[in-house]
Amino acid sequence: MEHKEFKVKWGMVIDIDKCTGCGACMVACQAENNIAPMQDGSDKTMTLTWMLVYELSNGKPFPDHEIAYLPRPCMQCGKPSCSTVCPVVATTKDEEGGIVSQIYPRCIGCRYCMAACPYHARYFNWYDPKWPKGLDKTLNISASPRPRGVVEKCTFCHHRFMEAKEKARYEGKDPLKLPEDAYIPACAEICPTGAIVFGDLNNPEHKVAKLAKSKYAFRLLERLGTDPQVYYYSKREWVRRLADNYLSTEKTKGE
Amino acid sequence: MAKGKSCLVLPFLFGLVGALIVGWWLFPELLYSKKTQPIRFSHKVHVEDQGMSCDECHSYREDGSFAGIPTTEQCAECHSEVQGDDPAEKKFVEEYVEKGKEVPWLIYQKQPDNVFFSHIAHKGIKCTTCHPDVGHMDTPPVYYEDRISGYSKQTMKMWQCERCHARRGASNACYVCHK
């Protein structure tokens, strides 16, 4: 499958050593993207969590035990597995910026993309979204709510990208050369420790471009060849080692 | 023999004409309900008599988004009191300005919720390429509402957006217009 190269490539670098696992990114995401309160939050096969914080453990007993937290948005893969299997072209990677689109009215809910995604970043709407009376007033007009029966996923708060481009046009600036702070997703904006850094991976002036090239930077299941636009960063070797299926004889990336 | 032929042709013709009437006239008549604007707003009075330009009322906000139809507050900058003898103006002042209410204007080009249309990205294109040419109308045109979908009949269809994008060499990627 042919894949496109873009002048602008929005990406994230998540510093796992800075993440405290507070979950503010998950809350900000749900509020920003109109994800309705869950009917049964304990049933994780039915919930919608575009941004999900995983707990990692080094598996050693006390006193050597260590944990880390790994926030997982959509990886916005350079070579997405989801869009190639979609039978109705409801998800594509063709817009400048490299964000994988998801068009809800076009989705038929077959869930091939969910099976194809190696990161479990996609979610199915098992129920109609319902907001308790009064809470519907908190809905974000910029994000389109989804009906029952379609798949959804993190879009890097794509509507914020659209709004940033509008503002750039109003101010007479180039909408494809947005400065670093003009467009950031809700999770990166809210992160209290600044663990999530967002920007254009192709723009050397943006922090992410530099961070992604660090020897401590890695991506999830990198050797699958999906080329994700989300990078992680950790100085701890055991954290990096969990990101891929290493053979016992292999060295961890960055060592 | 000739009698036999007309027996076949006549019912076919009646059927064809009947089907065309149903398809071209009766079905659209049933599908669309006709609505009129809550206030008979005259663009002509504002544009021709007062010499106002479009962007005095239809402007961009400072974040680059398009404000669309002005709020009652903006209209009240001039119409805080009844100025002329037009009954529509009197109705607007009494029912909306004095009560501080917004007018539920019907938007001919209203797009579905999953569309992100950026006016400022289309700045160089004439408004009337997409919108009805209301600038010189004394009475706003009738609004046709699809009884099934609830959308306006006049709203721009996706194939029209795509055709113009293709002709002008603009991207037709889904996320260029959708959210």
Side-chain angles (χ1 to χ4, degrees), chain A residues 85-103:
Chain A
V85 297
C86 181
V88 292
V89 208
T91 178
T92 56
K93 190 194 178 78
D94 50 4
E95 189 213 6
E96 192 55 64
I99 296 172
V100 177
S101 67
Q102 178 72 24
I103 307 300

Side-chain angles (χ1 to χ4, degrees), chain A residues 216 234-243 253 255:
Chain A
Y216 300 119
S234 179
K235 288 190 172 162
R236 289 178 281 181
E237 189 266 340
W238 70 267
V239 172
R240 295 200 302 273
R241 196 161 181 86
L242 281 174
K253 197 189 164 208
E255 282 302 301

Side-chain angles (χ1 to χ4, degrees), chain A residues 170-187:
Chain A
Y170 183 77
E171 290 165 354
K173 295 175 190 157
D174 185 353
L176 288 177
K177 279 195 190 121
L178 293 174
E180 206 162 12
D181 52 352
Y183 159 47
I184 45 166
C187 56

Side-chain angles (χ1 to χ4, degrees), chain A:
Chain A
M1 180 85 186
E2 191 195 347
H3 70 279
K4 282 185 185 151
E5 283 299 328
F6 302 100
K7 267 185 271 172
V8 178
K9 210 161 92 178
W10 295 110
M12 223 177 235
V13 179
I14 304 175
D15 188 337
I16 291 182
D17 299 343
K18 277 187 188 165
C19 177
T20 62
C22 72
C25 52
M26 291 173 67
V27 177
C29 174
Q30 306 252 328
E32 177 77 16
N33 292 295
N34 295 337
I35 297 173
M38 296 154 196
Q39 293 209 355
D40 176 7
S42 67
D43 187 351
K44 299 301 178 205
T45 58
M46 302 281 193
T47 52
L48 302 160
T49 41
W50 292 12
M51 178 59 138
L52 184 61
V53 178
Y54 285 90
E55 189 185 298
L56 310 177
S57 162
N58 66 349
K60 288 182 184 164
F62 179 81
D64 301 319
H65 185 226
E66 253 187 74
I67 52 162
Y69 295 98
L70 183 136
R72 195 258 24 237
C74 168
M75 301 290 138
Q76 316 295 352
C77 300
K79 295 167 193 164
S81 322
C82 53
S83 72
T84 49
V85 297
C86 181
V88 292
V89 208
T91 178
T92 56
K93 190 194 178 78
D94 50 4
E95 189 213 6
E96 192 55 64
I99 296 172
V100 177
S101 67
Q102 178 72 24
I103 307 300
Y104 316 118
R106 186 168 256 198
C107 174
I108 54 170
C110 73
R111 288 171 275 155
Y112 282 8
C113 56
M114 289 173 69
C117 175
Y119 304 106
H120 291 248
R122 294 180 156 270
Y123 293 90
F124 185 68
N125 278 278
W126 291 97
Y127 308 106
D128 274 322
K130 276 187 198 134
W131 284 269
K133 201 167 176 256
L135 199 65
D136 51 355
K137 292 200 174 99
T138 66
L139 280 168
N140 180 4
I141 55 160
S142 304
S144 177
R146 288 71 53 186
R148 170 166 48 101
V150 303
V151 173
E152 59 186 53
K153 65 159 192 88
C154 153
T155 63
F156 270 3
C157 290
H158 183 262
H159 53 277
R160 290 189 173 205
F161 179 35
M162 304 279 242
E163 285 158 5
K165 281 194 283 187
E166 282 208 317
K167 193 165 186 219
R169 283 194 169 104
Y170 183 77
E171 290 165 354
K173 295 175 190 157
D174 185 353
L176 288 177
K177 279 195 190 121
L178 293 174
E180 206 162 12
D181 52 352
Y183 159 47
I184 45 166
C187 56
E189 187 184 12
I190 201 126
C191 182
T193 59
I196 306 177
V197 184
F198 188 82
D200 178 6
L201 291 165
N202 286 347
N203 187 339
E205 284 167 28
H206 286 202
K207 269 185 261 151
V208 282
K210 210 178 126 207
L211 283 169
K213 287 193 187 92
S214 155
K215 74 167 193 167
Y216 300 119
F218 61 98
R219 293 180 284 180
L220 298 184
L221 302 173
E222 208 166 330
R223 292 181 291 182
L224 281 181
T226 50
D227 192 19
Q229 279 169 224
V230 175
Y231 289 76
Y232 292 89
Y233 179 99
S234 179
K235 288 190 172 162
R236 289 178 281 181
E237 189 266 340
W238 70 267
V239 172
R240 295 200 302 273
R241 196 161 181 86
L242 281 174
D244 215 331
N245 299 307
Y246 287 103
L247 297 173
S248 57
T249 53
E250 275 178 316
K251 260 186 158 181
T252 312
K253 197 189 164 208
E255 282 302 301

